[in-house]
Short mmCIF file of all heavy atoms in Angstrom, two decimals:
data_model
loop_
_atom_site.label_atom_id
_atom_site.label_comp_id
_atom_site.label_asym_id
_atom_site.label_seq_id
_atom_site.Cartn_x
_atom_site.Cartn_y
_atom_site.Cartn_z
N THR A 1279 8.41 9.49 -3.43
CA THR A 1279 8.99 10.48 -2.52
C THR A 1279 9.46 11.74 -3.25
O THR A 1279 9.84 12.71 -2.62
CB THR A 1279 10.19 9.90 -1.73
OG1 THR A 1279 11.25 9.60 -2.65
CG2 THR A 1279 9.81 8.65 -0.97
N ALA A 1305 2.32 1.42 -2.34
CA ALA A 1305 3.78 1.55 -2.19
C ALA A 1305 4.10 1.88 -0.73
O ALA A 1305 3.48 2.75 -0.13
CB ALA A 1305 4.31 2.65 -3.10
N GLY A 1306 5.05 1.17 -0.20
CA GLY A 1306 5.41 1.43 1.19
C GLY A 1306 6.46 0.44 1.63
O GLY A 1306 6.76 -0.53 0.93
N LEU A 1307 7.04 0.71 2.78
CA LEU A 1307 8.11 -0.17 3.26
C LEU A 1307 8.36 0.02 4.74
O LEU A 1307 8.03 1.04 5.33
CB LEU A 1307 9.41 0.10 2.47
CG LEU A 1307 10.25 1.33 2.79
CD1 LEU A 1307 11.54 1.29 1.99
CD2 LEU A 1307 9.53 2.63 2.55
N ALA A 1308 8.94 -1.05 5.31
CA ALA A 1308 9.51 -0.97 6.66
C ALA A 1308 11.01 -1.09 6.49
O ALA A 1308 11.49 -1.84 5.64
CB ALA A 1308 8.98 -2.12 7.50
N LEU A 1309 11.75 -0.35 7.29
CA LEU A 1309 13.21 -0.46 7.28
C LEU A 1309 13.70 -0.65 8.71
O LEU A 1309 13.49 0.22 9.55
CB LEU A 1309 13.84 0.80 6.68
CG LEU A 1309 13.66 1.01 5.17
CD1 LEU A 1309 14.16 2.38 4.74
CD2 LEU A 1309 14.37 -0.09 4.37
N GLY A 1310 14.30 -1.80 8.96
CA GLY A 1310 14.86 -2.06 10.28
C GLY A 1310 13.84 -2.57 11.28
O GLY A 1310 12.62 -2.45 11.08
N LEU A 1311 14.37 -3.19 12.33
CA LEU A 1311 13.52 -3.73 13.40
C LEU A 1311 14.21 -3.44 14.74
O LEU A 1311 14.01 -4.14 15.73
CB LEU A 1311 13.33 -5.24 13.18
CG LEU A 1311 12.17 -5.93 13.89
CD1 LEU A 1311 10.83 -5.33 13.52
CD2 LEU A 1311 12.17 -7.42 13.56
N ALA A 1317 17.59 2.74 16.45
CA ALA A 1317 17.22 2.70 15.03
C ALA A 1317 17.99 3.75 14.22
O ALA A 1317 18.43 4.76 14.76
CB ALA A 1317 15.72 2.95 14.90
N ASN A 1318 18.11 3.45 12.94
CA ASN A 1318 18.79 4.36 12.02
C ASN A 1318 17.81 5.48 11.63
O ASN A 1318 16.78 5.22 11.01
CB ASN A 1318 19.20 3.53 10.79
CG ASN A 1318 19.91 4.35 9.74
OD1 ASN A 1318 19.75 5.57 9.67
ND2 ASN A 1318 20.71 3.69 8.93
N TYR A 1319 18.17 6.69 11.95
CA TYR A 1319 17.24 7.81 11.72
C TYR A 1319 16.95 8.00 10.22
O TYR A 1319 15.82 8.34 9.83
CB TYR A 1319 17.76 9.11 12.33
CG TYR A 1319 16.73 10.20 12.25
CD1 TYR A 1319 15.60 10.18 13.07
CD2 TYR A 1319 16.83 11.23 11.30
CE1 TYR A 1319 14.62 11.15 12.97
CE2 TYR A 1319 15.85 12.19 11.19
CZ TYR A 1319 14.75 12.14 12.04
OH TYR A 1319 13.77 13.09 11.94
N ALA A 1320 17.96 7.71 9.39
CA ALA A 1320 17.75 7.85 7.94
C ALA A 1320 16.65 6.87 7.48
O ALA A 1320 15.84 7.20 6.60
CB ALA A 1320 19.05 7.60 7.19
N ASP A 1321 16.62 5.69 8.07
CA ASP A 1321 15.55 4.72 7.74
C ASP A 1321 14.19 5.28 8.12
O ASP A 1321 13.20 5.13 7.38
CB ASP A 1321 15.76 3.40 8.50
CG ASP A 1321 16.85 2.53 7.89
OD1 ASP A 1321 17.33 2.86 6.79
OD2 ASP A 1321 17.22 1.52 8.52
N TRP A 1322 14.12 5.92 9.26
CA TRP A 1322 12.85 6.52 9.69
C TRP A 1322 12.37 7.56 8.68
O TRP A 1322 11.19 7.61 8.34
CB TRP A 1322 13.02 7.20 11.06
CG TRP A 1322 13.04 6.26 12.22
CD1 TRP A 1322 13.09 4.89 12.18
CD2 TRP A 1322 12.97 6.61 13.61
NE1 TRP A 1322 13.08 4.37 13.46
CE2 TRP A 1322 13.01 5.41 14.35
CE3 TRP A 1322 12.91 7.82 14.31
CZ2 TRP A 1322 12.96 5.39 15.76
CZ3 TRP A 1322 12.87 7.79 15.69
CH2 TRP A 1322 12.89 6.59 16.40
N GLU A 1323 13.34 8.37 8.22
CA GLU A 1323 12.96 9.41 7.26
C GLU A 1323 12.41 8.81 5.96
O GLU A 1323 11.43 9.30 5.41
CB GLU A 1323 14.16 10.31 6.95
CG GLU A 1323 14.49 11.23 8.09
CD GLU A 1323 15.60 12.21 7.72
OE1 GLU A 1323 16.66 11.74 7.26
OE2 GLU A 1323 15.41 13.42 7.88
N VAL A 1324 13.06 7.73 5.49
CA VAL A 1324 12.58 7.10 4.25
C VAL A 1324 11.16 6.57 4.45
O VAL A 1324 10.28 6.73 3.59
CB VAL A 1324 13.53 5.97 3.79
CG1 VAL A 1324 12.95 5.24 2.58
CG2 VAL A 1324 14.91 6.52 3.46
N MET A 1325 10.92 5.94 5.60
CA MET A 1325 9.56 5.41 5.85
C MET A 1325 8.53 6.54 5.90
O MET A 1325 7.43 6.42 5.34
CB MET A 1325 9.54 4.61 7.17
CG MET A 1325 10.23 3.27 7.05
SD MET A 1325 9.97 2.23 8.51
CE MET A 1325 11.24 2.84 9.61
N ILE A 1326 8.88 7.62 6.57
CA ILE A 1326 7.93 8.74 6.67
C ILE A 1326 7.69 9.35 5.29
O ILE A 1326 6.55 9.61 4.89
CB ILE A 1326 8.45 9.79 7.68
CG1 ILE A 1326 8.41 9.22 9.10
CG2 ILE A 1326 7.64 11.09 7.59
CD1 ILE A 1326 9.19 10.02 10.14
N ASN A 1327 8.77 9.53 4.53
CA ASN A 1327 8.63 10.14 3.20
C ASN A 1327 7.82 9.27 2.24
O ASN A 1327 7.12 9.78 1.37
CB ASN A 1327 10.01 10.41 2.58
CG ASN A 1327 10.74 11.52 3.31
OD1 ASN A 1327 10.12 12.32 4.01
ND2 ASN A 1327 12.05 11.56 3.17
N THR A 1328 7.95 7.97 2.39
CA THR A 1328 7.25 7.05 1.48
C THR A 1328 5.83 6.76 1.98
O THR A 1328 4.85 7.02 1.28
CB THR A 1328 8.02 5.70 1.38
OG1 THR A 1328 9.40 5.97 1.13
CG2 THR A 1328 7.45 4.83 0.28
N ASN A 1329 5.74 6.23 3.20
CA ASN A 1329 4.45 5.71 3.70
C ASN A 1329 3.47 6.82 4.03
O ASN A 1329 2.26 6.61 3.99
CB ASN A 1329 4.66 4.85 4.96
CG ASN A 1329 5.59 3.68 4.73
OD1 ASN A 1329 6.06 3.46 3.62
ND2 ASN A 1329 5.88 2.92 5.77
N ILE A 1330 4.00 7.99 4.40
CA ILE A 1330 3.11 9.09 4.78
C ILE A 1330 3.10 10.19 3.71
O ILE A 1330 2.10 10.41 3.03
CB ILE A 1330 3.49 9.69 6.16
CG1 ILE A 1330 3.41 8.61 7.25
CG2 ILE A 1330 2.59 10.88 6.49
CD1 ILE A 1330 3.78 9.08 8.64
N THR A 1331 4.24 10.87 3.56
CA THR A 1331 4.24 12.05 2.68
C THR A 1331 3.91 11.69 1.24
O THR A 1331 3.11 12.37 0.59
CB THR A 1331 5.61 12.78 2.75
OG1 THR A 1331 5.96 12.93 4.13
CG2 THR A 1331 5.55 14.14 2.11
N GLY A 1332 4.53 10.62 0.73
CA GLY A 1332 4.26 10.22 -0.66
C GLY A 1332 2.79 9.87 -0.86
O GLY A 1332 2.16 10.27 -1.85
N LEU A 1333 2.26 9.15 0.11
CA LEU A 1333 0.85 8.70 0.00
C LEU A 1333 -0.11 9.90 0.04
O LEU A 1333 -1.03 10.00 -0.79
CB LEU A 1333 0.56 7.71 1.12
CG LEU A 1333 -0.83 7.08 1.17
CD1 LEU A 1333 -0.76 5.65 1.71
CD2 LEU A 1333 -1.82 7.88 1.99
N GLY A 1366 10.23 -3.00 17.75
CA GLY A 1366 10.95 -2.61 16.54
C GLY A 1366 10.05 -2.02 15.46
O GLY A 1366 10.52 -1.60 14.41
N SER A 1367 8.76 -1.97 15.72
CA SER A 1367 7.82 -1.44 14.72
C SER A 1367 7.81 0.09 14.71
O SER A 1367 7.41 0.71 13.71
CB SER A 1367 6.42 -1.98 15.00
OG SER A 1367 5.46 -1.40 14.16
N ASN A 1368 8.24 0.65 15.81
CA ASN A 1368 8.22 2.11 16.08
C ASN A 1368 7.69 3.00 14.94
O ASN A 1368 6.48 3.25 14.85
CB ASN A 1368 9.58 2.58 16.61
CG ASN A 1368 10.76 1.96 15.89
OD1 ASN A 1368 10.95 2.19 14.71
ND2 ASN A 1368 11.54 1.15 16.60
N VAL A 1369 8.54 3.47 14.05
CA VAL A 1369 8.08 4.43 13.03
C VAL A 1369 7.25 3.75 11.94
O VAL A 1369 6.30 4.34 11.42
CB VAL A 1369 9.28 5.21 12.44
CG1 VAL A 1369 8.89 5.94 11.17
CG2 VAL A 1369 9.77 6.22 13.48
N TYR A 1370 7.59 2.50 11.61
CA TYR A 1370 6.77 1.81 10.60
C TYR A 1370 5.32 1.72 11.07
O TYR A 1370 4.39 2.12 10.36
CB TYR A 1370 7.32 0.40 10.31
CG TYR A 1370 6.42 -0.36 9.35
CD1 TYR A 1370 6.31 0.05 8.02
CD2 TYR A 1370 5.65 -1.44 9.77
CE1 TYR A 1370 5.45 -0.61 7.14
CE2 TYR A 1370 4.80 -2.11 8.90
CZ TYR A 1370 4.70 -1.68 7.58
OH TYR A 1370 3.85 -2.32 6.71
N GLY A 1371 5.12 1.21 12.29
CA GLY A 1371 3.76 1.08 12.82
C GLY A 1371 3.07 2.43 12.91
O GLY A 1371 1.89 2.57 12.60
N ALA A 1372 3.83 3.43 13.34
CA ALA A 1372 3.24 4.77 13.46
C ALA A 1372 2.83 5.32 12.09
O ALA A 1372 1.80 5.99 11.95
CB ALA A 1372 4.23 5.71 14.14
N SER A 1373 3.62 5.00 11.07
CA SER A 1373 3.25 5.48 9.72
C SER A 1373 1.96 4.81 9.26
O SER A 1373 1.12 5.44 8.60
CB SER A 1373 4.40 5.24 8.71
OG SER A 1373 4.49 3.87 8.35
N LYS A 1374 1.75 3.56 9.64
CA LYS A 1374 0.53 2.87 9.23
C LYS A 1374 -0.66 3.31 10.10
O LYS A 1374 -1.80 3.26 9.65
CB LYS A 1374 0.74 1.35 9.30
CG LYS A 1374 1.75 0.84 8.25
CD LYS A 1374 1.31 1.16 6.82
CE LYS A 1374 2.20 0.51 5.78
NZ LYS A 1374 1.77 0.78 4.40
N PHE A 1408 8.84 -7.53 1.19
CA PHE A 1408 8.73 -6.70 2.38
C PHE A 1408 9.85 -6.93 3.40
O PHE A 1408 10.52 -5.99 3.84
CB PHE A 1408 7.35 -6.94 3.03
CG PHE A 1408 7.12 -6.17 4.28
CD1 PHE A 1408 6.70 -4.85 4.24
CD2 PHE A 1408 7.32 -6.75 5.53
CE1 PHE A 1408 6.49 -4.12 5.41
CE2 PHE A 1408 7.11 -6.04 6.70
CZ PHE A 1408 6.69 -4.72 6.64
N ARG A 1412 13.03 -4.79 4.56
CA ARG A 1412 13.16 -4.40 5.99
C ARG A 1412 14.56 -4.71 6.51
O ARG A 1412 15.14 -3.93 7.25
CB ARG A 1412 12.09 -5.13 6.82
CG ARG A 1412 12.34 -5.05 8.31
CD ARG A 1412 11.18 -5.49 9.15
NE ARG A 1412 10.52 -4.33 9.71
CZ ARG A 1412 9.41 -4.33 10.41
NH1 ARG A 1412 8.77 -5.44 10.63
NH2 ARG A 1412 8.91 -3.22 10.89
#
Side-chain angles (χ1 to χ4, degrees):
T1279 65
L1307 77 174
L1309 289 172
L1311 198 59
N1318 180 337
Y1319 188 73
D1321 283 351
W1322 282 9
E1323 286 186 307
V1324 175
M1325 287 189 276
I1326 291 167
N1327 291 340
T1328 311
N1329 302 358
I1330 300 179
T1331 312
L1333 182 147
S1367 174
N1368 42 65
V1369 166
Y1370 176 68
S1373 75
K1374 293 300 187 178
F1408 179 82
R1412 166 168 256 175

